[in-house]
Amino acid sequence: MNNMKKHRYLAAACLLLLSLFAVSCISDDYPVRDKATVKMTFTTRAISNLTTTAGGLEDNEHMHTLRVIVARQNGEILYNLKYDIAENETSKTITFSEMTVNADGETFDFYAIANEEGVGYNGWDDVTVADLKGMNLPEDFLTNANASKDTYIPQTAYKQIRVAPHSGGGIQSETMKLDFAVAKVRLTINNTSAGDQYVNDINLSGLNMTSTPLFANGTLSDVTGGTLSLGDMTIHANESATVYAYFFENTGGTYNLTASWNGTQTLNLNNSAANINAISRGTELNINITLNATTTPTFNIEVVPWAEVEVDVPPFEVPQFK
C-alpha cells in the first residue's frame, strides 16, 4: 500500500513539473500581448484652383477612392479597407481599434493607395505584401492617361510605424501623406501679340515613359530615352493656352522641349539653364513660354510640387480587430 502511495506521489510530482515546464515554454515562446489603438490620418493632394489651366487639379487627379492595408512584419495582413471618397475630400482619418501588439510595442507596415482604379489591378481583396512591394503601374498607363485624361491618377504612401500600448487606453496619432505615382508637365504659352500664334509638333524628351513602381522606393529610374508628344496649340491674340500630360519619374535626363512655331521657326528649350537633372513623382514640370511675332520668345522652366490644401474631415471608425 505504501508503495502505491509513493507511486501516486511520484506521478503527481511529475505532472506538476511537466505543467510548470509547459508554462515556462509558453512564456518563452509567446511574448506578452497587449492592446493598442492608432488614429491614422491619410492626407492627399487637394484642389487649389478649380480652373483646369491655372494650377488646379484635374478631375482625374482628385482622390476618388482610398484603400488602406496594414500588415505585420511577417507579412500577415490585419486590415484591408477601401473607402469611397466624397468630392473635394482630401484627407481621411481612420481609427484602428484594439490592435493586438507586443507589450513593448510592434512595428507595422501601413500602405495607402488612392485611385486604385488607375492601377489596373483586380486582386486587391486578396493582395499580399509581396504583391504590393513588386507592383508597377501598367505598361499602357501613360498611353491611357494622356489620351483620354479620364484615367484616375494613383496616389500612394508607405510607412513603417511602431505601435505601442498607451497607459490608460490612450490613442496613438499618426499621419501619412500620399503622393502621385507619376510626374506631370504643364506647358503654358502666352501670346502677347496682336495675332494668333500656332505652335505645332510639341515634344518633350529625356523622359521615362517605360515603367515605375506603384510605391516610391527611394531611388529614381535612370531610363531617359522617352519622348512625350504634347500635340499642337493655337494661342489667340493676347491670350494664353495650356496643355498638360503625365510621365514617370527619372533622373539623369536632358529634358528638351521642341516645337515648330508658325511653320518657319523652331522653339528649342532645354533644362540646362534651370539645372534640372531629375524629376520625381508628385512634382510638376512647369514650362512657360511668352511669344510675340516681333521679339525673341522668353522661357521659364521649373519643377514644383502639385498644389495642395488640407481639409479636415470627421474621423471614421473601423471595427475592432483582435
Side-chain angles (χ1 to χ4, degrees):
M1 191 72 175
N2 289 335
N3 287 336
M4 292 182 64
K5 288 183 177 179
K6 288 180 181 179
H7 287 306
R8 289 174 183 168
Y9 290 144
L10 181 59
C14 289
L15 288 173
L16 177 61
L17 288 174
L18 287 172
S19 64
L20 291 174
F21 178 75
V23 170
S24 175
C25 290
I26 292 173
S27 179
D28 291 339
D29 294 341
Y30 298 95
V32 176
R33 310 290 274 176
D34 209 333
K35 300 291 185 182
T37 298
V38 180
K39 183 172 70 174
M40 177 69 72
T41 298
F42 301 89
T43 63
T44 185
R45 300 288 180 167
I47 303 169
S48 61
N49 188 318
L50 294 181
T51 67
T52 59
T53 60
L57 296 188
E58 318 302 330
D59 181 69
N60 63 318
E61 299 169 0
H62 301 179
M63 180 169 63
H64 296 267
T65 61
L66 176 66
R67 183 176 295 273
V68 177
I69 296 170
V70 183
R72 296 189 191 275
Q73 294 294 284
N74 62 6
E76 177 191 2
I77 292 180
L78 304 182
Y79 295 97
N80 185 347
L81 309 167
K82 182 183 178 181
Y83 305 97
D84 291 323
I85 304 300
E87 182 67 18
N88 299 341
E89 186 178 0
T90 58
S91 70
K92 176 67 72 175
T93 299
I94 305 170
T95 300
F96 300 93
S97 300
E98 297 291 315
M99 295 178 67
T100 302
V101 301
N102 297 334
D104 60 347
E106 189 173 345
T107 300
F108 292 86
D109 292 330
F110 284 76
Y111 299 85
I113 307 103
N115 296 340
E116 65 182 44
E117 293 80 359
V119 181
Y121 179 74
N122 297 320
W124 291 109
D125 290 338
D126 300 312
V127 72
T128 66
V129 169
D131 294 334
L132 293 170
K133 290 182 177 179
M135 197 173 296
N136 292 333
L137 287 182
E139 293 181 2
D140 61 352
F141 176 83
L142 292 178
T143 300
N144 295 334
N146 292 326
S148 65
K149 295 297 191 296
D150 60 2
T151 297
Y152 287 165
I153 306 300
Q155 298 184 46
T156 63
Y158 164 74
K159 192 175 184 179
Q160 285 192 334
I161 297 176
R162 186 76 177 177
V163 177
H166 282 57
S167 59
I171 297 177
Q172 180 175 337
S173 295
E174 303 284 350
T175 60
M176 286 179 66
K177 183 178 179 180
L178 282 73
D179 222 338
F180 290 107
V182 297
K184 180 179 180 180
V185 57
R186 181 184 293 273
L187 169 64
T188 299
I189 300 180
N190 310 287
N191 179 11
T192 60
S193 69
D196 291 348
Q197 299 288 336
Y198 305 95
V199 181
N200 302 317
D201 300 321
I202 307 170
N203 291 291
L204 180 65
S205 61
L207 307 177
N208 172 15
M209 301 294 291
T210 303
S211 66
T212 196
L214 182 61
F215 292 90
N217 58 18
T219 61
L220 297 182
S221 169
D222 59 1
V223 175
T224 60
T227 298
L228 176 62
S229 173
L230 297 174
D232 303 328
M233 296 177 66
T234 298
I235 309 95
H236 297 301
N238 295 309
E239 293 185 7
S240 298
T242 298
V243 293
Y244 67 91
Y246 308 103
F247 56 96
F248 297 140
E249 63 184 354
N250 74 341
T251 185
T254 301
Y255 307 107
N256 291 322
L257 181 77
T258 59
S260 173
W261 176 31
N262 284 339
T264 58
Q265 303 181 60
T266 300
L267 296 177
N268 192 337
L269 170 67
N270 64 54
N271 65 303
S272 57
N275 194 30
I276 299 170
N277 56 23
I279 303 177
S280 302
R281 64 180 61 207
T283 61
E284 185 173 273
L285 178 64
N286 273 350
I287 303 174
N288 280 273
I289 303 174
T290 299
L291 295 179
N292 189 304
T294 60
T295 60
T296 302
T298 60
F299 301 88
N300 180 59
I301 178 172
E302 60 181 348
V303 176
V304 297
W306 278 343
E308 63 184 288
V309 174
E310 292 189 1
V311 179
D312 293 329
V313 296
F316 186 92
E317 303 292 335
V318 301
Q320 292 185 355
F321 186 94
K322 297 181 178 180

